[in-house]
Amino acid sequence: MWEAVPGREEYYYHTFGKKQPDFNWENPALRQKLYDMVNWWLDKGIAGFRVDAITFIKKDPAWQDCPADGGDGLAKCAKVSRNQPGIGDFLRELKENTFDHYQCVTIAEAPGVAYEELGNFIGEQGYFSMIFDFRYADLDITSGSEWFKRVPWTVRDLRDKIMMSQMALQKHGWSANFIENHD
């Protein structure tokens, strides 16, 4: 969503809260500053990072308006800001400039990653050590024209989703299991 900068003829984009402007990952100088910050912490002995909402760093360069699809009259930004083509270039560069130089663990909050793409995200050649799979944690909600509408589910449904997740993830690497998210 775009927000006007008070007192200026400028706008900024935020995928989440308006007090959380998105970084422009297309800017190489900004990416280098991020890598410098990560390396500073790793040099201090930090054992790893939980990388929040990482699949939202690449945006659709068309910056198109999206039609409202929520009950609140807003549009879901994931269509133009999650898992966009080219995100792998940014994630590979992040890993090569930071995590590859340290013995550290990285856990990616990476919603929307298809099981077929897990090898890119986790494992020996993956961008991260582990990934959160939201498929079973979000079992009780749907996201569509009525955002986060509760849907019925059974314990068998939960078991089946967890098994499907584990079977897909174990082919490549580790899962960071969870059942609830602060979001």
Side-chain angles (χ1 to χ4, degrees):
M1 173 172 279
W2 288 97
E3 294 290 335
V5 177
R8 297 165 73 168
E9 292 184 25
E10 296 177 2
Y11 292 82
Y12 67 91
Y13 184 85
H14 64 91
T15 300
F16 301 106
K18 68 167 70 175
K19 293 182 180 179
Q20 296 176 299
D22 286 22
F23 285 131
N24 177 5
W25 277 74
E26 300 294 335
N27 182 332
L30 175 114
R31 292 196 312 271
Q32 187 57 56
K33 289 288 187 188
L34 289 170
Y35 306 154
D36 292 346
M37 178 202 57
V38 168
N39 288 326
W40 184 86
W41 282 107
L42 290 166
D43 286 342
K44 297 280 184 209
I46 296 296
F49 283 91
R50 178 193 188 272
V51 185
D52 193 52
I54 195 65
T55 52
F56 288 90
I57 64 173
K58 179 76 173 165
K59 310 299 189 274
D60 179 347
W63 296 109
Q64 64 190 3
D65 286 334
C66 295
D69 60 359
D72 56 3
L74 298 175
K76 187 173 181 181
C77 295
K79 298 173 199 167
V80 294
S81 65
R82 184 177 79 181
N83 291 320
Q84 293 296 305
I87 190 174
D89 296 335
F90 290 155
L91 298 177
R92 189 175 312 100
E93 182 181 275
L94 169 65
K95 182 183 178 202
E96 290 171 355
N97 283 276
T98 58
F99 310 135
D100 274 353
H101 303 281
Y102 299 87
Q103 289 275 340
C104 66
V105 65
T106 54
I107 306 168
E109 182 191 49
V113 173
Y115 284 150
E116 304 82 56
E117 296 177 28
L118 284 173
N120 294 326
F121 280 80
I122 59 173
E124 246 352 93
Q125 302 303 314
Y127 313 125
F128 305 101
S129 308
M130 294 185 269
I131 193 172
F132 290 118
D133 182 6
F134 285 80
R135 286 172 186 84
Y136 56 88
D138 289 347
L139 173 70
D140 63 336
I141 58 173
T142 186
S143 185
S145 61
E146 294 184 58
W147 295 356
F148 301 107
K149 178 183 176 186
R150 294 258 178 230
V151 295
W153 61 277
T154 66
V155 172
R156 179 177 291 276
D157 295 334
L158 177 61
R159 185 204 65 184
D160 291 348
K161 290 268 189 183
I162 290 173
M163 287 298 291
M164 185 172 53
S165 174
Q166 292 297 302
M167 296 304 285
L169 288 157
Q170 73 183 1
K171 294 175 186 173
H172 305 284
W174 292 91
S175 170
N177 295 329
F178 74 107
I179 196 70
E180 181 64 37
N181 188 16
H182 68 272
D183 297 338

